[in-house]
Amino acid sequence: DQQVKQNSPSLSVQEGRISILNCDYTNSMFDYFLWYKKYPAEGPTFLISISSIKDKNEDGRFTVFLNKSAKHLSLHIVPSQPGDSAVYFCAASGNQFYFGTGTSLTVIP
Amino acid sequence: NAGVMQNPRHLVRRRGQEARLRCSPMKGHSHVYWYRQLPEEGLKFMVYLQKENIIDESGMPKERFSAEFPKEGPSILRIQQVVRGDSAAYFCASSQQGTVTYEQYFGPGTRLTVT
């Protein structure tokens, strides 16, 4: 039972444009959401997070939006850079972390 | 480098052998989590440990898998009598506190291949 879903396995974006990665969840009790970035042969690294009491959190080029009524969150990267090419996982926390299956982002120079 | 360390990075075992995966958390972190990533899947929680205690093992298969985090030394994930389906990347993460609002820092993973 996948409680956190990332329905787009891959995304390609031109350098300088906006990348939007989406994530849906099923459990309304989740109270904290995170995005992790993963390069091949490395572990995930924390990118940005948001508490369920907020609807937006911004850190430099990265912004996470949370729509609790739709049980949906998204990560916006603007402007996208080639170094952003990686797999992005969203995660939700309840009594443990639940991860999505990841979206592979390719930023084309 | 004071990050989370895992070894070995790659481990090949024949069916029926034992696999031992090690994880040293970040300095100052006393909470360790193990995750498994199967091909084409996301990270799946396996177990959460503190020193000498298993806090949550709800994601651990009931048989052949065990984990420990002794008072001294790294955390160990042990898989007995491995089968082909155990082939996966196993990631360890650590955090400073046990509440899930603290970010978990991941190690580079151990890629287990069962032949």
Side-chain angles (χ1 to χ4, degrees):
Chain A
D1 179 29
Q2 192 72 24
Q3 298 199 47
V4 177
K5 297 178 184 177
Q6 293 176 257
N7 292 318
S8 297
S10 62
L11 174 69
S12 289
V13 171
Q14 206 72 31
E15 181 179 4
R17 307 295 285 267
I18 185 171
S19 295
I20 300 176
L21 296 94
N22 294 303
C23 179
D24 297 293
Y25 61 95
T26 57
N27 189 339
S28 57
M29 299 301 290
F30 288 147
D31 56 4
Y32 197 68
F33 303 89
L34 309 92
W35 284 93
Y36 281 83
K37 177 180 179 180
K38 184 181 181 301
Y39 293 115
E42 294 184 15
T45 55
F46 170 75
L47 195 57
I48 192 169
S49 62
I50 188 167
S51 165
S52 60
I53 61 173
K54 295 188 175 182
D55 54 18
K56 178 183 174 181
N57 187 26
E58 191 172 351
D59 183 2
R61 297 185 297 114
F62 302 91
T63 304
V64 56
F65 294 91
L66 176 62
N67 182 333
K68 285 182 65 180
S69 61
K71 296 193 183 72
H72 177 83
L73 68 156
S74 60
L75 174 68
H76 293 211
I77 307 173
V78 57
S80 302
Q81 299 173 353
D84 296 330
S85 297
V87 177
Y88 290 78
F89 291 96
C90 67
S93 79
N95 57 333
Q96 57 177 260
F97 274 26
Y98 297 87
F99 282 85
T101 51
T103 296
S104 178
L105 172 66
T106 302
V107 179
I108 304 163
Chain B
N1 186 342
V4 179
M5 295 193 291
Q6 289 186 252
N7 66 81
R9 293 294 307 274
H10 300 273
L11 182 61
V12 179
R13 284 288 178 265
R14 283 197 289 270
R15 278 180 297 172
Q17 290 185 319
E18 179 180 287
R20 282 181 161 245
L21 290 65
R22 295 175 190 79
C23 169
S24 296
M26 281 182 71
K27 189 176 181 179
H29 287 190
S30 58
H31 301 262
V32 166
Y33 312 81
W34 285 93
Y35 293 85
R36 176 165 65 174
Q37 185 180 20
L38 293 166
E40 309 303 324
E41 292 188 17
L43 294 156
K44 292 286 172 68
F45 168 80
M46 298 182 76
V47 62
Y48 161 36
L49 310 105
Q50 290 182 37
K51 289 279 186 182
E52 299 184 282
N53 282 307
I54 297 174
I55 307 302
D56 181 353
E57 56 181 349
S58 58
M60 287 276 272
K62 293 288 184 274
E63 297 177 351
R64 302 188 297 108
F65 285 71
S66 62
E68 62 176 8
F69 189 14
K71 189 176 179 182
E72 301 290 336
S75 174
I76 307 285
L77 179 67
R78 184 178 174 208
I79 312 172
Q80 294 177 292
Q81 298 175 324
V82 295
V83 300
R84 287 231 172 98
D86 297 332
S87 295
Y90 291 82
F91 291 95
C92 162
S94 72
S95 67
Q96 193 175 35
Q97 300 278 351
T99 58
V100 290
T101 52
Y102 280 81
E103 296 94 38
Q104 296 179 8
Y105 294 83
F106 283 81
T110 293
R111 184 161 297 281
L112 172 65
T113 302
V114 179
T115 61

